[in-house]
Amino acid sequence: MSEPRPSDRHDASESDDTFAEIVDEATQRDPDLAVIEAGSRTLRTASGPVPGDEVPARPADPEVDKALRAVEQELAGRWGETKLEPSVARIAALMDVLGEPQRAYPSIHITGTNGKTSTARMIEALLGAFDLRTGRYTSPHVQSITERISLDGSPMDPERFIETYQDIKPYVEMVDAQQPYRLSFFEVLTGMAYAAFADAPVDVAVVEVGMGGSWDATNVIDASVAVVTPISLDHTDRLGTTPAEIAGEKAGVIKQDATVILAQQPVDAAQVMLKKAVEVDATVAREGMEFGIVSREIAVGGQLLTLRGLGGEYEGIFLPLYGAHQAHNAAVALSAVEAFFGIGAEQPGSLDHDTVRRAFASVRSPGRLEVVRSSPTVVLDAAHNPAGARATADGLSEAFGFSRLIGVVGASDDKDVRGLLEAFETIFAEVVITQNSTGRAMNADVLAAVAVEVFGGDRVQVEPRLDDALEAAITLAEEEDEYAGAGVLVTGSVITVGEARLLLGRH
């Protein structure tokens, strides 16, 4: 993290007093506007996209596949993503011995609870459309570990992924020997991403946090643009039990003099973010104020948008993704890219509208309201917490006219499964409870017990094997007349969706 200039340093109590005065003044007018005027500065404006990302299959070459499996096995032997020791000491040590590769390029850092990966993909598409070479680091993956590190809009090819791992492995082992704990699975992958981006080299890195922000392994970058997607309750055992507490951790990605693109937030979470911006003299652009959605209508295969960015309005944007939440993600992504180019702060005008349209039209987000089969229609969505499930339910109801919807739900053991199921209760006629193949999966019988409380016993079926669950759900959907419009939604976990995608023949 860069050191603030002497003129940028503020006495903590003075900052607190200033922030409190602004909030108090705004509260006198309207309590819901208390956070709107609390930013240190407001971002005011003067008024060949990359191909869609596909999920890769296993390598066709048996030797390459064997080598990739060996790398996956070595990584799996480290701490998993759910076991954490909150610190950036290990990743910082790795960056040091690698020569600080994360400082070789500018970056856009994305935190929040839901929408991070889709937003990252949109940002990547926009930057690529303006002829910038991009690197994107997101998690978790849907099917292949190589999805996590993307170069020029496509997942890193297996050979390069293996080579990158082998290149940094000696340095990883060196750091392992010096630290109380070995580098984790996620920390090694983060090191690989930053090294690969420097080696490419990329013009800009688009980086999604793994969890939180302050102590997340990705937070060794000094991003000029920090993006905060909507914050809600998730990982409460590690991040906090209120939106404000969670925001406190996620605010760690906001660096000195950065620009913050702030999606719509709960008021208490927004207050925390804006207070952090005051402390580090960051510029804030808020959805609904400096940018947002002007209009949105359903279209065949997605939706048609008019977005207001930091440089004015952009009309006629076709986004081939479903749901209002994706339209909000698009507004955030557009403003983040404008901010990266200095529009709204350093220069007037806007991005080229035709290029923006082409970029958004190219966006794909596998496993996010993704249709993978017809007759009956099968949709996959990686919603894994209540807020994500509500957005999925709304998007599904809006975009699909299902007369009867069957749910297939397999969740992870550490999630608010009751809240997840309750979000789907009004749209599922019946639900098939299952589990994925990983150790993180919640036992199907345990999940089913909660489902019976939510749906009632006559609407719940249990099929522990995912392939059996898919077959049962499709059979239930087919019980109606062929033209009745029944469908299936597979949800509850990115892992469940990824495994279902493979079973349904998507590669």
Side-chain angles (χ1 to χ4, degrees):
M1 183 182 299
S2 61
E3 289 293 323
R5 300 184 301 274
S7 61
D8 289 333
R9 293 192 176 95
H10 300 285
D11 179 77
S13 61
E14 182 178 330
S15 294
D16 287 348
D17 291 344
T18 301
F19 181 82
E21 289 173 5
I22 296 171
V23 171
D24 287 344
E25 180 181 350
T27 303
Q28 298 303 313
R29 298 197 303 273
D30 185 334
D32 287 336
L33 296 178
V35 299
I36 289 178
E37 299 300 334
S40 56
R41 290 174 296 179
T42 299
L43 191 59
R44 301 293 182 186
T45 66
S47 243
V50 296
D53 219 344
E54 293 300 325
V55 175
R58 297 299 308 183
D61 186 327
E63 291 302 315
V64 175
D65 187 50
K66 181 180 178 181
L68 180 59
R69 289 185 188 278
V71 171
E72 291 170 329
Q73 187 172 4
E74 288 188 26
L75 289 170
R78 294 179 173 275
W79 273 4
E81 291 173 281
T82 60
K83 186 173 183 180
L84 304 168
E85 194 276 316
S87 169
V88 294
R90 292 177 300 279
I91 188 66
L94 180 61
M95 292 296 99
D96 182 53
V97 297
L98 289 175
E100 303 291 346
Q102 80 282 14
R103 304 196 188 285
Y105 39 80
S107 53
I108 297 174
H109 207 176
I110 306 170
T111 190
T113 302
N114 292 308
K116 296 187 295 295
T117 297
S118 292
T119 302
R121 288 176 177 273
M122 294 178 196
I123 291 172
E124 174 189 52
L126 284 162
L127 292 169
F130 286 98
D131 298 323
L132 292 183
R133 190 168 198 199
T134 58
R136 172 173 55 81
Y137 182 51
T138 54
S139 61
H141 57 274
V142 177
Q143 286 175 204
S144 171
I145 194 171
T146 60
E147 296 167 38
R148 294 178 179 237
I149 305 174
S150 174
L151 293 169
D152 292 325
S154 297
M156 183 184 286
D157 64 66
E159 293 86 352
R160 191 166 189 174
F161 187 92
I162 295 163
E163 181 182 356
T164 301
Y165 176 75
Q166 296 298 342
D167 284 346
I168 76 164
K169 182 177 177 180
Y171 301 97
V172 169
E173 292 172 343
M174 185 187 307
V175 173
D176 284 344
Q178 297 170 348
Q179 296 291 323
Y181 303 99
R182 296 172 71 215
L183 286 153
S184 70
F185 168 89
F186 187 72
E187 287 168 335
V188 175
L189 276 174
T190 302
M192 288 174 60
Y194 289 163
F197 295 163
D199 185 60
V202 302
D203 297 314
V204 55
V206 183
V207 178
E208 173 190 334
V209 303
M211 186 185 300
S214 298
W215 41 259
D216 187 74
T218 62
N219 202 30
V220 289
I221 55 175
D222 285 319
S224 60
V225 178
V227 175
V228 187
T229 66
I231 291 172
S232 60
L233 299 183
D234 199 7
H235 302 294
T236 54
D237 56 330
R238 299 176 179 88
L239 301 179
T241 58
T242 67
E245 290 177 352
I246 294 172
E249 291 293 341
K250 294 181 182 292
V253 305
I254 302 174
K255 305 298 174 60
Q256 187 74 37
D257 297 322
T259 298
V260 184
I261 304 300
L262 194 63
Q264 291 180 350
Q265 305 290 346
V267 171
D268 56 347
Q271 286 180 326
V272 171
M273 288 290 171
L274 292 170
K275 183 175 180 180
K276 175 67 174 184
V278 170
E279 293 170 355
V280 298
D281 202 25
T283 300
V284 181
R286 301 148 296 181
E287 184 179 5
M289 296 297 293
E290 285 73 45
F291 70 92
I293 301 169
V294 176
S295 66
R296 185 179 78 88
E297 58 185 89
I298 306 304
V300 176
Q303 50 194 309
L304 193 63
L305 310 174
T306 296
L307 301 178
R308 178 164 56 85
L310 307 178
E313 288 192 6
Y314 298 77
E315 299 177 343
I317 294 173
F318 174 68
L319 181 68
L321 301 175
Y322 300 107
H325 59 293
Q326 295 290 16
H328 288 283
N329 291 339
V332 169
L334 174 62
S335 296
V337 172
E338 286 182 312
F340 180 78
F341 284 122
I343 290 174
E346 300 171 11
Q347 61 184 40
S350 61
L351 299 175
D352 180 75
H353 289 214
D354 287 339
T355 305
V356 168
R357 292 187 191 102
R358 289 197 304 272
F360 274 119
S362 75
V363 172
R364 303 292 182 270
S365 196
R368 278 74 180 178
L369 285 179
E370 179 187 20
V371 178
V372 294
R373 172 183 165 150
S374 58
S375 298
T377 300
V378 178
V379 182
L380 307 180
D381 192 88
H384 55 272
N385 56 48
R390 287 190 292 271
T392 295
D394 290 344
L396 199 73
S397 299
E398 176 185 76
F400 299 88
F402 293 129
S403 59
R404 184 164 175 261
L405 182 64
I406 311 300
V408 176
V409 180
S412 296
D413 205 25
D414 58 344
K415 297 299 180 181
D416 177 4
V417 294
R418 179 178 293 277
L420 178 85
L421 293 169
E422 288 175 345
F424 290 120
E425 193 278 330
T426 59
I427 68 168
F428 285 166
E430 296 179 65
V431 61
V432 181
I433 298 299
T434 190
Q435 63 190 71
N436 59 60
S437 64
T438 69
R440 290 181 59 190
M442 175 172 282
N443 178 273
D445 290 332
V446 175
L447 179 57
V450 181
V452 167
E453 294 177 0
V454 174
F455 291 89
D458 59 334
R459 295 167 62 194
V460 177
Q461 181 173 333
V462 184
E463 296 290 350
R465 287 172 52 105
L466 181 57
D467 54 349
D468 292 337
L470 292 171
E471 183 178 353
I474 290 170
T475 299
L476 286 169
E478 288 175 337
E479 285 180 356
E480 288 202 350
D481 182 83
E482 181 181 356
Y483 302 103
V488 174
L489 173 68
V490 184
T491 190
S493 163
V494 176
I495 300 165
T496 300
V497 162
E499 292 184 355
R501 207 172 188 274
L502 279 171
L503 288 167
L504 292 166
R506 294 302 293 261
H507 302 291

